[in-house]
Amino acid sequence: MERIYLDHAATTPLDKEILDKMLPYLTDCYGNADSPHAFGRKAMGGVDSARDKIADLLNAKPNEVYFTSGGTESDNWAIIGGAYAAKERGRDHIILSAIEHHAALAAAEKLQKEGFSVDYLPVDRTGRISADSLRARMTERTGLVAVMAVNNETGALQPIKELANIAHEAGAVFFTDAVQAAPHMALDVKALGVDMLAISAHKFYGPKGCGVLYIKSGVKVKPLVVGGEQERGLRGGTTNVAAVVGMAAALEKNVRTMSANNEKIATLRQVFLEGISGVDGLRVYGGAGDVSAVLSLRFLGVSGVDLVYNLDLAGVSVSAGAACASASVKPSHVMMAMGLTEKEARECIRVSFGKDNTEEEVREAAALLKEIVEKLRKS
Ligand SMILES: *Cc1c(COP(=O)(O)O)cnc(C)c1O
């Protein structure tokens, strides 16, 4: 049985072309990029050109690109490091959207325990944040605002530029988690007007354990990982050279192939939704104007975990909410923020398409899902 993978928001497979570009840095070119000798210089050459390439793709300067271990570290660093720096300016209030990734929410919870005050922006039924709700919460003590660019459960796109402007007018720093945006849209930090932005390589066919935090020059952020002079003294640790090289190559390829991929994915989504369209009590979350690769859906009265389990047995991999939420089987905070009750949120599953899925695969997955829903409703 060929398994069907429809969980690209959790992770994507490493592109073989990208692996080939990484391999020399995992074998012959093993120097520590910070060593001043020939081995080190060769490794640093790879790191430098990766940094240049990523800066170029994000419309940033190379010295504004900081390599991290992925989206979680970038989110943690931006929020905790940004809040600590803001506190030194007398600002101890931060604002996050209620639908941030757990990596951001947990960072805010930690800050709250340390005495920061934290406010959460609500979303409407379609998962969107309004400019007015941010405006209403800004105070002269607000030091940091964090709103993700694209949600990882619904694909909902947020008005980042507008929100960043509001934060800036009140003297706060603006951070966006663009981990789910990077696979599907070109990112320009200047056009977005953000001070910090996070991406993660494994969400766009690059290696796991590697990400970027963009920090605009002049923006103050305290380091989180200390112990070395790497990343201009702000993020210690021997550079993961092969991963950084792979991330740059993956981002470049992703940008180059993005419009064709997006077009294909939009068709896959349509085929999938047509395949399940006859089923009673179907609700789809995420839609017009959002990223089409990610959607959450729900069949009234059917448990999401049961659906995921039965689909897996049938060879189709999807997720119940976000990947991290499904292990603990907690109802999704995103769906609850959109107004669903806990029981309704437990009925949700997330389906996320990728560039290598085929129409045949999604048609089959939809047919299997339809069958399983009917079977579960009878039992
Ligand atoms: C996957 C994801 C993260 C975490 O990134 P990792 O590299 O897996 O740590 C953060 N934010 C969003 C929106 C994500 O989808």
Side-chain angles (χ1 to χ4, degrees):
M1 173 179 73
E2 279 290 331
R3 297 200 58 95
I4 301 173
Y5 185 76
L6 298 179
D7 200 12
H8 293 80
T11 195
T12 58
L14 177 64
D15 189 311
K16 299 278 187 304
E17 227 178 277
I18 305 306
L19 173 64
D20 286 341
K21 295 196 165 134
M22 293 170 64
L23 280 173
Y25 292 96
L26 288 164
T27 50
D28 302 333
C29 188
Y30 52 79
N32 182 323
D34 290 302
S35 300
H37 51 57
F39 284 87
R41 286 197 306 272
K42 198 159 176 204
M44 189 51 106
V47 174
D48 283 342
S49 60
R51 198 185 305 278
D52 289 350
K53 201 179 285 179
I54 290 170
D56 195 40
L57 292 164
L58 298 178
N59 193 21
K61 294 190 285 261
N63 67 3
E64 295 174 321
V65 171
Y66 294 82
F67 294 129
T68 67
S69 64
T72 299
E73 186 189 330
S74 292
D75 282 0
N76 273 219
W77 185 15
I79 292 169
I80 296 169
Y84 286 175
K87 197 169 182 187
E88 292 188 347
R89 303 192 302 275
R91 291 172 178 256
D92 58 0
H93 173 231
I94 67 169
I95 302 176
L96 274 80
S97 87
I99 58 164
E100 293 301 295
H101 189 272
H102 281 292
L105 293 176
E109 279 159 28
K110 171 185 153 71
L111 290 167
Q112 193 158 23
K113 284 192 196 114
E114 294 173 8
F116 284 85
S117 65
V118 183
D119 266 319
Y120 296 92
L121 300 170
V123 296
D124 64 18
R125 291 219 150 242
T126 66
R128 227 165 307 268
I129 288 146
S130 78
D132 286 342
S133 78
L134 176 58
R135 222 175 265 119
R137 284 170 181 77
M138 293 299 302
T139 75
E140 58 199 18
R141 299 190 73 99
T142 310
L144 178 86
V145 176
V147 178
M148 69 197 331
V150 169
N151 182 262
N152 49 306
E153 292 180 39
T154 62
L157 199 61
Q158 305 300 339
I160 294 304
K161 191 180 165 62
E162 194 181 2
L163 299 174
N165 280 341
I166 294 167
H168 290 155
E169 277 163 18
V173 162
F174 189 89
F175 163 62
T176 191
D177 170 341
V179 172
Q180 291 292 340
H184 310 292
M185 59 186 64
L187 295 170
D188 178 330
V189 292
K190 297 219 172 59
L192 287 170
V194 297
D195 301 298
M196 293 189 275
L197 174 143
I199 60 172
S200 174
H202 75 99
K203 302 289 174 84
F204 48 84
Y205 308 94
K208 291 169 181 59
C210 185
V212 163
L213 180 63
Y214 155 79
I215 307 176
K216 187 179 174 182
S217 39
V219 170
K220 297 272 179 292
V221 185
K222 296 286 173 193
L224 207 63
V225 181
V226 293
E229 283 307 304
Q230 291 89 357
E231 303 302 305
R232 296 167 295 287
L234 283 179
R235 200 279 188 180
T238 302
T239 308
N240 188 349
V241 181
V244 157
V245 166
M247 174 164 59
L251 189 62
E252 185 181 54
K253 181 169 181 183
N254 185 63
V255 168
R256 185 160 33 83
T257 56
M258 185 175 280
S259 67
N261 290 343
N262 284 348
E263 211 172 298
K264 180 182 177 189
I265 285 169
T267 307
L268 294 175
R269 176 193 177 103
Q270 209 178 337
V271 169
F272 182 79
L273 287 176
E274 275 162 20
I276 53 171
S277 63
V279 186
D280 282 344
L282 165 66
R283 300 280 182 278
V284 179
Y285 304 92
D290 295 334
V291 162
S292 44
V294 189
L295 64 127
S296 280
L297 35 101
R298 169 162 90 89
F299 297 92
L300 302 189
V302 182
S303 139
V305 171
D306 288 352
L307 280 179
V308 170
Y309 178 73
N310 280 277
L311 275 170
D312 191 43
L313 286 180
V316 181
S317 302
V318 301
S319 104
C324 0
S326 45
S328 51
V329 205
K330 281 202 193 100
S332 154
H333 66 285
V334 175
M335 303 315 297
M336 285 169 71
M338 285 163 65
L340 271 66
T341 64
E342 185 174 331
K343 180 181 170 291
E344 289 166 345
R346 284 184 192 282
E347 293 173 351
C348 292
I349 62 170
R350 177 183 71 183
V351 178
S352 45
F353 308 103
K355 68 181 175 72
D356 299 319
N357 283 135
T358 64
E359 287 188 33
E360 224 177 321
E361 280 182 324
V362 299
R363 205 172 287 120
E364 188 182 340
L368 287 164
L369 176 56
K370 210 167 161 172
E371 252 173 57
I372 289 166
V373 169
E374 278 156 15
K375 186 189 87 184
L376 288 174
R377 275 185 173 153
K378 275 192 208 114
S379 65

